[in-house]
Amino acid sequence: MYQAEQTVAVRKAVAYPGLLGEHLIAEKTRAAMAVQQEALYAAREFLRSQGFTELLPPLIGPVTDPGARGAKALDVDFYGHTYKIMTSAILYKQASLRGFPKLFYIAPNIRVEPPETVDTGRHLVEFHQIDVEIAGGTREDAMDTAAGLLTHVVAHVFDTVPDVLRQLGRDPLDFAELLTGKFDSCTHTEAVQRLRDQGHPQSPDAEINWAGEEILSREADRPFFITDYPKGSRGFYDRENPQDPGVLRNFDLIAHGGFGELVSGSEREADYATLVTRMRESGENPAKYDWYLRLMREGLPASAGFGMGLQRLIRFLTGLDALWQVSAYPKLPGVVSP
């Protein structure tokens, strides 16, 4: 678990350039970067073998992902226009499907998380996602791709740097069920009921909260999917199930062992009128999304996709306590750092 003394240590480390240098030469940092290098190699290898094209993501734009869940985007002056630094490039993934029907990014993201999240071990201001999108894809296609990607990455890392993982205390037996490629699944409603049966006060109308996610994660011996989140708990781009109004065609992939969410994804809403309605329902001004809606009106393919948190993946592989330990240049919520 993430301890208070670790929070104090990282506050000091990231607040002063000299101590950041100490973090960069720490054994655990070097080990995490060795694992990260192999994980990125394996992710690219898997996705390219499945016919995906890697694009370099945009860093700024007139709008960014509105579903950042409590975090804020940073503004920049772009020749007299206020642009946003990307909290997620999901809208650009959809726009790119006309030319690239199967694509992925290794995408940097910046989210100004609330300062109170500094102690969770789960949040960074700067992080990366392995972002994947499939034109014509279903939720099941995205889930299968996410499961295959995770399985391939874990197998590759244990094949290439087993000594590093062993030094970090990671036992291959802890990943044996994962490597079968057979992941469990439950609906959001089922997950809520399981938590309530254990006395955890999880709202049926909201995301599974961090404490609930950890409870479910620690009970599992392999990653598992949670599907069918309620409408209103996610961004306007998650497609509503036409056969089950109020329920979204989306999913999270939760790692076992207490490490929580690794992946979040969905089928995307591709109907122009429905998108405008969903924007308004979520309190968004459609005029902000003019370029995106123009493309949608002209015709973007229906799709499905996901984002896999890179730092969360590396933390899961290494077993380290917090995301700052698997980032070379950690920037924590509320901590001013170089």
Side-chain angles (χ1 to χ4, degrees):
M1 294 294 293
Y2 191 64
Q3 302 296 326
E5 57 267 24
Q6 292 172 314
T7 304
V8 172
V10 75
R11 283 176 188 267
K12 290 179 178 178
V14 300
Y16 304 101
L19 293 178
L20 175 61
E22 292 178 15
H23 171 67
L24 287 168
I25 63 172
E27 283 190 24
K28 286 184 177 179
T29 307
R30 294 200 304 272
M33 293 305 98
V35 171
Q36 177 178 282
Q37 177 171 268
E38 295 302 333
L40 284 170
Y41 177 94
R44 288 184 163 106
E45 179 182 60
F46 174 81
L47 291 168
R48 291 181 63 181
S49 76
Q50 300 297 306
F52 288 86
T53 299
E54 181 176 4
L55 302 182
L56 297 177
L59 301 181
I60 62 171
V63 290
T64 185
D65 178 9
R69 308 178 198 177
K72 295 180 180 179
L74 289 174
D75 293 341
V76 295
D77 185 318
F78 187 62
Y79 301 107
H81 297 267
T82 301
Y83 269 42
K84 302 288 185 184
I85 298 176
M86 288 295 109
T87 61
S88 166
I90 182 172
L91 304 182
Y92 290 89
K93 284 197 302 180
Q94 289 180 267
S96 302
L97 291 171
R98 289 172 124 185
F100 303 91
K102 297 179 76 174
L103 67 97
F104 73 98
Y105 303 145
I106 308 296
N109 297 276
I110 296 179
R111 297 182 185 178
V112 184
E113 300 282 357
E116 58 267 23
T117 63
V118 68
D119 297 330
T120 66
R122 299 165 48 99
H123 294 86
L124 291 171
V125 174
E126 292 183 352
F127 65 98
H128 294 75
Q129 288 192 148
I130 304 170
D131 258 323
V132 175
E133 202 71 18
I134 308 165
T138 64
R139 176 178 66 182
E140 288 67 33
D141 294 328
M143 291 168 66
D144 287 346
T145 301
L149 173 60
L150 180 59
T151 303
H152 182 80
V153 168
V154 171
H156 175 85
V157 170
F158 269 98
D159 283 344
T160 53
V161 287
D163 292 346
V164 173
L165 294 174
R166 192 178 304 112
Q167 290 167 8
L168 292 167
R170 298 305 268 164
D171 188 335
L173 291 177
D174 294 335
F175 296 84
E177 295 299 324
L178 181 158
L179 291 172
T180 68
K182 299 174 182 177
F183 295 176
D184 296 326
S185 182
C186 69
T187 66
H188 178 273
T189 299
E190 291 167 340
V192 169
Q193 190 59 56
R194 283 168 56 189
L195 289 169
R196 289 186 159 192
D197 288 346
Q198 297 181 56
H200 181 74
Q202 173 62 50
S203 168
D205 302 316
E207 298 258 6
I208 304 296
N209 59 33
W210 303 329
E213 199 177 274
E214 184 176 356
I215 290 169
L216 296 173
S217 178
R218 289 194 178 280
E219 291 176 347
D221 64 356
R222 71 186 74 189
F224 62 94
F225 291 102
I226 301 177
T227 64
D228 300 322
Y229 283 76
K231 184 180 177 181
S233 66
R234 294 287 172 90
F236 58 72
Y237 40 75
D238 280 15
R239 181 171 176 256
E240 188 173 3
N241 189 337
Q243 279 76 50
D244 194 3
V247 174
L248 300 173
R249 291 276 297 165
N250 62 1
F251 67 92
D252 280 355
L253 177 58
I254 310 298
H256 62 290
F259 290 92
E261 177 200 325
L262 291 181
V263 176
S264 187
S266 72
E267 288 180 12
R268 315 303 189 188
E269 182 53 67
D271 179 75
Y272 172 81
T274 303
L275 261 178
V276 172
T277 300
R278 291 284 303 281
M279 285 178 178
R280 288 174 175 153
E281 288 176 347
S282 64
E284 289 289 331
N285 180 1
K288 287 170 44 182
Y289 300 89
D290 177 64
W291 71 268
Y292 172 71
L293 288 173
R294 275 190 283 111
L295 286 174
M296 191 63 67
R297 191 165 51 236
E298 293 167 7
L300 289 178
S303 67
F306 62 84
M308 176 181 286
L310 177 62
Q311 281 78 16
R312 290 187 178 188
L313 172 63
I314 305 309
R315 182 191 171 207
F316 172 56
L317 285 162
T318 59
L320 292 174
D321 294 307
L323 293 187
W324 70 264
Q325 294 175 297
V326 299
S327 174
Y329 315 105
K331 289 184 172 59
L332 273 81
V335 181
V336 177
S337 51

